[in-house]
Amino acid sequence: MPQWVLFLPAICLYTLWITIGLRDGIIAASVSSYYPLMIAMVFGSMIAGATPLGGGVVGFPVAVLIIGFSPAEGRDFSLLIQSIGMTAASFLILYNKRRVLGGYEDFVSKCIVASLVGLIIGFELLDGIMSPFLVNLVYTTAVACISLVFAYQEFYGRWKAMHNVDPLPSSISDGSGLTLSGSSDDSRTDAVKRRRCKNEKAASILLEHICFPLLSAAGGVLTSQIGSGADIMCFVSGSIMSALTARRQRRGPDDGSCSDNTLTAASVIVMASVSVFGSVLRLTARQGAAVETDVLLAVFACSPIVVLGAPVGSLFLIPSNKRRLKCAFCVLGMVQLAIFGVIKIGNNGLAWAVVLSILFIVVCALVAHYVVSSRVYSKSVEADASSI
């Protein structure tokens, strides 16, 4: 198939863009009014296609803080612009990089359904009730915490590889303080293994049928308020599911059944579906709550950029870029919180206290996990040495 087909959405959009722009004479007016937003979306669209952070992460704050849109208008801009960019990126993924999904189409479908439920709840029940500042504070803090966890996950994976830590240790604790060696008491070891497998299966069922749908629905609610969120919640759900699968099958994190690139591709498709659905709801809203003309002009100005930028970003979803993209996500998550803190939190001491307390708790939990893991590893080394 010819390579130009990969950018068929861009070809269609450019045809419409030129036609509408010349017919209504709005090209010069829209570009001159919203060129700062256009520059921001060059980076935002590529971030959207290459990481679980949607383009709304860039579009929403720039639209609100620089252009002067209200939070509701910033939300509308994020939804509308992502319905273009994310859809173009999804087309490229499904057409040319379908293999990157790795058979997780069913997971993507479930995330889309749950996210749409949350989106509808957010639009119909919570719109105008939730404080935009509070929503942004929760979202940016959550993304920063997730960034810390993923950064630690990368560090911990390297530590395990460096020390050659076996994901299935030769000594298994039965929970009573005793250590069972595989060679000394096979029956008790088998009992512990069966009990552990049973507990992990129950936890997996609980997460798959309750926690994951709730996370996806929460992402939909976030999207209804700030124009982004469904993608990152999809990524988090998939990461947890992948870790549990690897643990249940006793494999290391690098041998898990779902890579970061797979989850990123899934998050792009989920965000495309949710943004298109949300855009339809907003464009058909009743009089008085309709999308403002200024927002539509901003979308018109930025659409030629995102329809190319997001697919180009998705081209980076290859195994050799896995670590780079993960590092980019972690850095962007912390930078996003820092920018929000400087511009919006400002001198709000209470908000800073809450944010820093949450970050401190997360860091302490990660440090505690590393300390415990190190001690367990040291004891297993000593046990192996004494048995020789």
Side-chain angles (χ1 to χ4, degrees), residues 3 10 41 68 92 106 108 118 165 169 184 209 212 231-232 235 269 281 291 294 312 319 332 341 353:
Q3 291 298 309
M41 291 312 299
L92 188 146
D106 185 56
V108 172
V165 178
S184 61
H209 296 289
F212 291 163
D231 42 7
I232 187 63
F235 188 87
I269 296 173
L281 289 179
V291 178
D294 289 342
V312 169
L332 288 170

Side-chain angles (χ1 to χ4, degrees), residues 224-280:
S224 72
Q225 302 300 308
I226 61 175
S228 187
D231 42 7
I232 187 63
M233 289 304 179
C234 170
F235 188 87
V236 170
S237 299
S239 297
I240 297 173
M241 182 178 67
S242 180
L244 287 175
T245 301
R247 178 179 176 85
R248 189 166 61 246
Q249 298 178 3
R250 297 299 185 263
R251 298 187 305 212
D254 293 334
D255 297 323
S257 58
C258 190
S259 69
D260 291 340
N261 287 343
T262 296
L263 295 177
T264 300
S267 71
V268 169
I269 296 173
V270 169
M271 194 64 228
S273 303
V274 174
S275 60
V276 168
F277 194 89
S279 296
V280 172

Side-chain angles (χ1 to χ4, degrees), residues 113-162:
V113 172
S115 298
L116 291 180
V117 171
L119 184 78
I120 294 173
I121 292 174
F123 273 140
E124 300 301 326
L125 301 180
L126 303 177
D127 199 27
I129 297 177
M130 301 177 67
S131 165
F133 174 79
L134 181 60
V135 173
N136 272 280
L137 184 68
V138 171
Y139 177 73
T140 53
T141 304
V143 171
C145 292
I146 294 167
S147 300
L148 289 174
V149 172
F150 285 157
Y152 172 75
Q153 183 186 45
E154 183 69 19
F155 164 79
Y156 185 65
R158 292 190 181 188
W159 179 84
K160 290 177 69 175
M162 184 184 303

Side-chain angles (χ1 to χ4, degrees), residues 43-306:
F43 304 99
S45 60
M46 295 189 70
I47 290 171
T51 73
L53 293 172
V57 169
V58 174
F60 182 84
V62 172
V64 172
L65 302 178
I66 297 178
I67 302 300
F69 284 168
S70 69
E73 291 172 339
R75 181 270 319 276
D76 290 342
F77 172 79
S78 296
L79 277 175
L80 292 168
I81 204 65
Q82 286 185 104
S83 70
I84 297 171
M86 290 298 211
T87 300
S90 298
F91 176 84
L92 188 146
I93 290 171
L94 293 173
Y95 180 81
N96 191 53
K97 301 175 73 69
R98 184 70 175 264
R99 62 189 181 280
V100 80
L101 289 175
Y104 271 67
E105 290 86 354
D106 185 56
F107 168 74
V108 172
S109 301
K110 292 178 181 178
C111 284
I112 290 174
V113 172
S115 298
L116 291 180
V117 171
L119 184 78
I120 294 173
I121 292 174
F123 273 140
E124 300 301 326
L125 301 180
L126 303 177
D127 199 27
I129 297 177
M130 301 177 67
S131 165
F133 174 79
L134 181 60
V135 173
N136 272 280
L137 184 68
V138 171
Y139 177 73
T140 53
T141 304
V143 171
C145 292
I146 294 167
S147 300
L148 289 174
V149 172
F150 285 157
Y152 172 75
Q153 183 186 45
E154 183 69 19
F155 164 79
Y156 185 65
R158 292 190 181 188
W159 179 84
K160 290 177 69 175
M162 184 184 303
H163 293 82
N164 195 26
V165 178
D166 189 349
L168 181 58
S170 57
S171 298
I172 303 176
S173 171
D174 67 350
S176 61
L178 298 176
T179 300
L180 304 178
S181 171
S183 59
S184 61
D185 195 340
D186 291 340
S187 60
R188 295 185 66 186
T189 301
D190 291 340
V192 172
K193 288 181 179 179
R194 286 194 298 270
R195 185 165 65 250
R196 177 180 292 180
C197 290
K198 183 178 179 180
N199 292 338
E200 289 178 351
K201 184 177 181 180
S204 178
I205 293 174
L206 175 66
L207 287 168
E208 182 177 356
H209 296 289
I210 297 179
C211 295
F212 291 163
L214 288 177
L215 278 174
S216 297
V221 172
L222 280 172
T223 303
S224 72
Q225 302 300 308
I226 61 175
S228 187
D231 42 7
I232 187 63
M233 289 304 179
C234 170
F235 188 87
V236 170
S237 299
S239 297
I240 297 173
M241 182 178 67
S242 180
L244 287 175
T245 301
R247 178 179 176 85
R248 189 166 61 246
Q249 298 178 3
R250 297 299 185 263
R251 298 187 305 212
D254 293 334
D255 297 323
S257 58
C258 190
S259 69
D260 291 340
N261 287 343
T262 296
L263 295 177
T264 300
S267 71
V268 169
I269 296 173
V270 169
M271 194 64 228
S273 303
V274 174
S275 60
V276 168
F277 194 89
S279 296
V280 172
L281 289 179
R282 290 299 301 129
L283 291 172
T284 57
R286 62 185 179 276
Q287 195 69 24
V291 178
E292 298 292 336
T293 303
D294 289 342
V295 174
L296 296 176
L297 283 175
V299 172
F300 179 82
C302 297
S303 57
I305 295 172
V306 301

